Amino acid sequence: MTLDTRAPAVDRVDRPARRWRASDLVLVAIVAWGAWLRLVQLGRSRLGYDEAFSAMAARRPLGNLATYLTAHDSHPPLDYLVRAPFARAGMSEFWIRMPSAAFSIAALVVLACWLRDRPRLAILATAIMAAAPFQILHGRDARMYALLELLGVSIAFAASRWLARPRPWLAAVVGGLVLRSEERRVGKEC
């Protein structure tokens, strides 16, 4: 007689495989279009005053950056840290602006994923965000606006999921994202 040492089979709830719908393909096309709008001629124009400030501040030594920004700018240092490798390497306007474009495109992707289960709303909202001149302008600007855009959409997405199905890890995500945005708001008031 042999002992069966295998673990008992665990009943798993098999979820149906998520299939691609026509609306998903439309969303992919809209996100691609929005990405193109943000990337086309990204480095063609010279840096504006605020963008040049971002590039110049990003070149400062890391130990000095927080002190410098406290005295000269109300924006938090994360955006400068992201841009630092490009600015220190003396890269072109295209590369100085690329992190903003990437954050703005990521915000489009997060929005499309969030609203995917409501196809009409997803298509409408993603198309508006993809083509809105304000979103395109600030999604291409070498400042922290696109990062804040991504943070805002991510907070809304995580909060929506948490309200629909509360889970401890989602609460932690929402709390962390809100803490980051609150930190930015308090920094601007000082």
Side-chain angles (χ1 to χ4, degrees):
M1 183 169 174
T2 60
L3 269 175
D4 187 9
T5 58
R6 291 178 288 164
V10 177
D11 290 336
R12 290 188 345 197
V13 176
D14 289 330
R15 295 182 188 168
R18 183 164 248 185
R19 295 185 348 221
W20 282 77
R21 302 175 296 228
S23 61
D24 295 336
L25 298 176
V26 172
L27 284 172
V28 168
I30 291 170
V31 168
W33 174 55
W36 179 80
L37 289 173
R38 283 151 180 77
L39 294 174
V40 68
Q41 297 182 351
L42 186 61
R44 185 168 185 213
S45 63
R46 305 294 284 166
L47 294 177
Y49 175 77
D50 287 341
E51 292 178 305
F53 178 86
S54 290
M56 184 269 315
R59 288 184 179 143
R60 299 191 69 80
L62 291 180
N64 185 322
L65 184 61
T67 306
Y68 178 80
L69 292 177
T70 302
H72 296 91
D73 194 13
S74 61
H75 301 138
L78 179 59
D79 185 65
Y80 299 103
L81 295 174
V82 169
R83 255 174 250 294
F86 304 108
R88 288 188 183 137
M91 295 188 154
S92 68
E93 287 86 352
F94 176 88
W95 289 107
I96 297 294
R97 292 181 179 127
M98 184 50 121
S100 294
F103 291 141
S104 186
I105 293 166
L108 274 174
V109 171
V110 170
L111 181 68
C113 290
W114 171 25
L115 300 175
R116 180 175 178 236
D117 293 332
R118 292 168 275 175
R120 287 188 202 141
L121 178 62
I123 290 169
L124 179 64
T126 307
I128 289 171
M129 188 172 177
F134 182 85
Q135 296 293 334
I136 295 169
L137 174 68
H138 291 295
R140 297 168 51 106
D141 203 13
R143 295 292 280 166
M144 80 298 169
Y145 308 118
L147 180 58
L148 292 175
E149 172 188 359
L150 175 59
L151 187 63
V153 174
S154 298
I155 288 170
F157 182 20
S160 170
R161 293 289 182 202
W162 180 56
L163 289 171
R165 184 184 281 170
R167 295 189 177 166
W169 67 270
L170 272 173
V173 168
V174 171
L177 290 170
V178 170
L179 177 66
R180 295 299 312 161
S181 67
E182 183 64 18
E183 191 176 291
R184 292 175 192 283
R185 189 187 66 78
V186 170
K188 284 188 170 209
E189 290 177 355
C190 295

